[in-house]
Amino acid sequence: MRLSLLGISISLLGIAIILASAGSPVTFGLILSGVGFVISLISCLIGEVEKVKGFLN
């Protein structure tokens, strides 16, 4: 849960950078948003794997 929230907050920070700037910071914001998305996705996948493991045991 905490990892998922970290990913969401990183994504929102990247979006804020994109909206507040022009030029090369936009690229940085896009990269930051992508990293946040990947962290959130990995967190969700880890959570689902743990649910499946608990269901199988």
Side-chain angles (χ1 to χ4, degrees):
M1 178 69 178
R2 289 182 187 159
L3 189 61
S4 179
L5 291 175
L6 175 67
I8 291 169
S9 65
I10 291 173
S11 293
L12 290 175
L13 177 64
I15 291 169
I17 290 172
I18 292 168
L19 293 175
S21 61
S24 63
V26 172
T27 304
F28 178 71
L30 286 172
I31 292 169
L32 203 57
S33 293
V35 168
F37 174 74
V38 169
I39 291 173
S40 294
L41 185 66
I42 289 171
S43 172
C44 290
L45 290 175
I46 289 171
E48 290 300 316
V49 167
E50 289 176 358
K51 285 180 188 177
V52 169
K53 281 184 180 178
F55 180 74
L56 294 176
N57 288 333

